[in-house]
């Protein structure tokens, strides 16, 4: 049996991907930009093994066996095996490529809750398979075929997903525009409003949007191309004013397109909208952008801000969205930070009433590197026979 264990990060887009021009190859209607987040707080971990003794391909996610029937999974496996065979055209180790695989994965955060688990999960799977079968070169186009946003999780730091023009999708890839060390003051607060599975998944939501929203067509054609250029410059120059403005406007536009979808798709809740008001009131109070919000296909807020603003924002979140009295788990997780008590002047500037329990918990994290191989054999999720070490089935 050969095996490898890897971890991969989530990424949160600041210019959003919403809509495909090719459903099978997962080719987007517009380019997008994201930051990859540190794996100490949020990551997928996957062990892949291959053996001549395995009788079928099998997969376990968070301890439960999953069907391997998904077309996306099959496409990813097929493409990695094709590349491995091509590389081993001298015949060395070619038989291994034909062995069945066992895949075991777990996320250290809620799956399918709008926290980009599919991005981390599929990036981790493709990265692990590429290591197992010694596939070299860029694999972001393979990850893209697992889940669009997964292609951006193949790289650390700030990443763009290029649309490409080829019909086979070969030039629709992710590309790092700045490494994780480029903007060291950048911090991220994820305000978990709900960790429940969402009603309409991204895949279905964006399909309906492409079919029905004229606003989305206009966004893809006219607005995103300009924003991509501006955003690239803002990141390179560490210009937080522009970075924050584009991030917030782009999130708002994604959700406007969702509302323009027929029938409409809504992901943001009253709490999400209260967070938007809080952020604008803070920025207004300081007379400049101190913090930026962005929302994916769910109610959870992701806030980008500089390190020196973290204690203030944590204090404000605790003030306006305090945890329930009997809140068992830690309200603040991830990187440690001071929490400042907001001044009365700042509190007076915010037009909100406290809403107990509206935010379940906060994850404090930062921009981080791409997928990693774990050398320590004890990290493996599979036992020596290729079965999950812990499983509920
Ligand atoms: N570690 C993993 N390994 C393999 N597949 C995974 C993993 N984690 C999640 N997935 C796949 O992704 C699916 C969840 O994707 P979904 O898009 O519904 O949620 P999400 O990624 O949390 O949200 P969003 O993409 O909108 O931010 C799971 O049902 C599973 O198929
Ligand atoms: C709102 C988003 O998070 C949408 C993510 O969509 P997915 O990558 O989950 O969709 P599929 O390609 O169908 O798997 C925006 C983004 O991450 O850019």
């Amino acid at each position: 049996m050969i095996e490898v264990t890897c971890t991969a990060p989530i990424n949160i887009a600041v210019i959003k991907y919403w809509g495909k021009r090719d459903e099978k190859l997962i080719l987007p209607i517009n380019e997008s930009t994201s930051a990859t987040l540190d794996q100490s707080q949020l990551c997928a971990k996957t062990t892949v093994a291959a053996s001549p003794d395995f009788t079928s391909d099998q997969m376990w996610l968070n301890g439960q066996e999953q069907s391997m029937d998904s077309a996306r999974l099959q496409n990813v496996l097929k493409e990695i095996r094709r590349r491995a065979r091509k590389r081993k055209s001298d015949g060395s180790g070619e038989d291994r490529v034909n062995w069945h695989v066992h895949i075991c994965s777990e996320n250290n955060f809620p799956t399918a809750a709008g926290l980009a688990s599919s991005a981390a999960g599929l990036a981790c799977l493709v990265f692990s398979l590429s290591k197992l079968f010694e596939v070299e070169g860029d694999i972001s186009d393979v990850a893209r075929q697992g889940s669009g946003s997964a292609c951006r999780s193949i790289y650390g730091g700030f990443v763009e997903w290029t649309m490409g023009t080829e019909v086979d999708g070969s030039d629709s890839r992710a590309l790092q525009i700045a490494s994780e060390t480029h903007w060291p003051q950048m911090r991220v607060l994820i305000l978990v409003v709900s960790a429940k599975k969402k009603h309409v998944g991204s895949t279905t939501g964006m399909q309906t949007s492409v079919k029905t929203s004229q606003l989305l067509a206009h966004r893809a054609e006219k607005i995103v191309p300009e924003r991509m250029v501006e955003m690239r410059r803002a990141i390179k120059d560490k210009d937080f004013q522009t970075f924050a403005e584009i991030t917030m406007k782009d999130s708002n536009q994604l959700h406007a397109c969702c509302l323009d979808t027929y029938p409409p798709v809504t992901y943001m809740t009253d709490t999400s909208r209260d967070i938007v008001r809080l952020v604008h009131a803070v920025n207004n109070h300081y007379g400049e952008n101190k913090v930026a919000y962005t929302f994916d296909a769910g109610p959870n807020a992701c806030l980008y801000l500089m390190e020196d603003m973290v204690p203030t924002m944590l204090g404000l979140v605790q003030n306006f969205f305090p945890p329930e009295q009997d809140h068992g788990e830690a309200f603040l997780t991830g990187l440690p930070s001071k929490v400042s008590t907001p001044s009365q002047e700042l509190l007076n500037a915010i037009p909100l009433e406290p809403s107990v329990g509206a935010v379940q918990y906060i994850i404090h994290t930062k921009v981080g590197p791409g997928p990693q191989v774990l050398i320590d054999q004890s990290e493996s999720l599979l036992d020596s026979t290729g079965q999950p070490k812990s499983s509920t089935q």
Side-chain angles (χ1 to χ4, degrees), residues 44 59 61 105-107 111-119 121-122 198 202 297:
M59 175 169 177
L61 174 58
S105 187
E106 56 186 36
N107 301 321
T111 298
L115 290 177
S117 69
S118 56
L122 271 300
K198 56 205 170 202
S202 319

Side-chain angles (χ1 to χ4, degrees), residues 43-89:
C43 77
K45 178 178 172 186
T46 304
T47 299
V48 288
S51 161
D53 299 333
F54 295 164
T55 51
S56 61
D57 291 336
Q58 276 186 285
M59 175 169 177
W60 295 264
L61 174 58
N62 298 325
Q64 300 272 346
E65 184 155 11
Q66 303 283 299
S67 159
M68 291 284 299
D69 275 350
S70 132
R72 289 177 171 199
L73 266 181
Q74 290 301 328
N75 289 344
V76 157
L77 265 170
K78 210 163 101 191
E79 181 56 21
I80 288 284
R81 285 191 166 121
R82 191 188 68 77
R83 289 188 192 190
R85 276 192 201 102
K86 201 167 149 205
R87 207 176 108 71
K88 294 181 188 303
S89 53

